[in-house]
Amino acid sequence: CGHVTITARVTPSDSTTVYTATCVVTVTKSPYTIALELDGSDRVHPGETVTLNVNVSGAAYAGLEATVTYNKDLFTYDKDSNTISGATVTSNAGSVRINYVGDEVAASTATTLTFTAQTPDGDSATGTFDFSYAKASGETSAVTGTGPSAQGNPITVTVVNQYTVKFMDKDNSQIDSDIKVDAGSKLTDVPEAPVVENYDFTGWSDGKNTYADAAAVKAVTISADTTFTATYTEKSYVVTLQSGLNGEDTATYNTPYTVTVADYDSDYVYTVTYTAEGGEEKTAADSGNGTFTIPGADITGALNVTFTKKLNATVSVHPDYVSGYTLITIASSGTKVYSYDGNTMFFISGQSEYA
């Protein structure tokens, strides 16, 4: 409380006499403090709740009127709770009005207002909650006039957009669940890339860039929904070739491997066999003229490649009635003929009758 002294001096127009009147006015300070308080964080995401308490403190009251304004493009009003019995709460886009006239109420929270954050334009936006009017009264009558200054206002709340980050494996199946990241922020965790048999992991691709490892992904600023897909290349394995065979020093999974016979001779039949580390021996496909192919799908480990050759010949048996011996003739492709008379193997040239 306090006192104000008011002094009035009047001088009539037809006199030099000055009349003075003094009165003392007693001013009583309002016992009420009306405050808008944020219950929770001042940084939220779209779809999350913003809770505000309208508090009246200082003394019991029988009348209350308060209007809270807010950014209607960034928040929607949901409901009121803990409202004093008999109070009415009405809302319009951008404001909520609380009105109470009734029995005396002990100083306490008048009501709790709940809002839902909407998706901002851009990465984030800040909205304000404030009183446009607030007054409490001890009289059981409608509250009128200008209310006291609200305490601790205005309240600002920032809505930060969130983006969804997904990690996909080689077969485009999702690894773990979606990750929500604040706009303009960076990832703190990156899942392990799946191990794929016969493939080497080469990085994470977002469709535009490929990042070599988790550290590189964590350095990316997230500014939109993003999908990272694990990328791979086929493994390459060391090849060991038997002497007499030619080929590359390494073979790659899923890529056919070609080996050639160094001194190919059409009079011989060649067989090339191979074993991938830990696997069974298989025969390479003969592509002709001393060239052999190992299927890419069989290159699943270090390769060991060998070959054998056999004379491509026909064998004929002819009795020699003069000598009494039986002639055994070996003919190779009709060009090289060998005969054996029981004692000596000898070469016969142009003996087509033995071919």
Side-chain angles (χ1 to χ4, degrees), residues 72-141:
K72 62 183 178 62
D73 294 324
L74 197 55
F75 304 98
T76 56
Y77 172 69
D78 292 335
K79 63 181 180 179
D80 56 90
S81 58
N82 300 327
T83 306
I84 55 178
S85 178
T88 59
V89 179
T90 56
S91 64
N92 291 308
S95 67
V96 179
R97 179 175 179 268
I98 305 166
N99 187 44
Y100 172 74
V101 176
D103 295 336
E104 189 174 77
V105 178
S108 62
T109 298
T111 192
T112 298
L113 305 177
T114 304
F115 301 81
T116 298
Q118 302 302 299
T119 302
D121 292 331
D123 288 347
S124 64
T126 299
T128 301
F129 297 87
D130 201 0
F131 284 124
S132 63
Y133 178 85
K135 186 176 182 180
S137 171
E139 303 296 328
T140 55
S141 59

Side-chain angles (χ1 to χ4, degrees), residues 23 27 39 48 81 98 107 139-140 147 175 212 225 235 242-243 247 256 264 285-286 294 333 350:
C23 65
V27 179
D39 185 3
E48 292 183 347
S81 58
I98 305 166
E139 303 296 328
T140 55
I175 304 168
D225 290 339
K235 279 183 177 291
Q242 179 182 332
S243 178
Y264 174 71
D286 189 345
I294 298 174
S333 302

Side-chain angles (χ1 to χ4, degrees), residues 29-298:
K29 181 181 178 181
S30 170
Y32 304 108
T33 299
I34 304 175
L36 188 61
E37 298 177 354
L38 177 64
D39 185 3
S41 174
D42 63 354
R43 183 180 174 92
V44 297
H45 302 116
E48 292 183 347
T49 297
V50 177
T51 301
L52 297 174
N53 293 326
V54 179
N55 289 329
V56 180
S57 60
Y61 61 95
L64 170 67
E65 184 174 341
T67 300
V68 177
T69 59
Y70 62 93
N71 185 325
K72 62 183 178 62
D73 294 324
L74 197 55
F75 304 98
T76 56
Y77 172 69
D78 292 335
K79 63 181 180 179
D80 56 90
S81 58
N82 300 327
T83 306
I84 55 178
S85 178
T88 59
V89 179
T90 56
S91 64
N92 291 308
S95 67
V96 179
R97 179 175 179 268
I98 305 166
N99 187 44
Y100 172 74
V101 176
D103 295 336
E104 189 174 77
V105 178
S108 62
T109 298
T111 192
T112 298
L113 305 177
T114 304
F115 301 81
T116 298
Q118 302 302 299
T119 302
D121 292 331
D123 288 347
S124 64
T126 299
T128 301
F129 297 87
D130 201 0
F131 284 124
S132 63
Y133 178 85
K135 186 176 182 180
S137 171
E139 303 296 328
T140 55
S141 59
V143 181
T144 59
T146 303
S149 297
Q151 304 296 310
N153 297 290
I155 290 174
T156 58
V157 176
T158 299
V159 182
V160 181
N161 219 337
Q162 278 195 316
Y163 296 115
T164 299
V165 177
K166 299 176 186 287
F167 285 89
M168 313 300 284
D169 66 13
K170 177 178 175 293
D171 299 320
N172 209 36
S173 294
Q174 187 167 348
I175 304 168
D176 298 335
S177 55
D178 292 352
I179 301 173
K180 295 293 185 180
V181 182
D182 285 0
S185 297
K186 298 176 181 180
L187 290 165
T188 56
D189 293 298
V190 174
E192 289 287 336
V195 175
V196 181
E197 188 176 9
N198 298 310
Y199 285 86
D200 289 320
F201 173 72
T202 56
W204 295 101
S205 173
D206 63 4
K208 295 181 180 179
N209 301 295
T210 298
Y211 306 94
D213 51 27
V217 174
K218 290 179 183 179
V220 177
T221 298
I222 304 300
S223 57
D225 290 339
T226 305
T227 298
F228 292 99
T229 302
T231 59
Y232 298 82
T233 56
E234 290 84 354
K235 279 183 177 291
S236 292
Y237 300 98
V238 174
V239 178
T240 301
L241 296 172
Q242 179 182 332
S243 178
L245 293 176
N246 293 329
E248 298 292 334
D249 293 336
T250 59
T252 302
Y253 174 70
N254 241 10
T255 299
Y257 177 81
T258 300
V259 61
T260 58
V261 177
D263 297 316
Y264 174 71
D265 187 336
S266 61
D267 287 333
Y268 289 85
V269 175
Y270 296 85
T271 301
V272 173
T273 57
Y274 61 92
T275 303
E277 185 176 8
E280 62 182 14
E281 185 178 74
K282 296 182 179 181
T283 301
D286 189 345
S287 302
N289 298 320
T291 300
F292 296 82
T293 303
I294 298 174
D298 286 348

Side-chain angles (χ1 to χ4, degrees), residues 316-329:
S316 301
V317 180
H318 303 275
D320 188 333
Y321 298 105
V322 176
S323 65
Y325 292 104
T326 297
L327 297 178
I328 301 173
T329 302

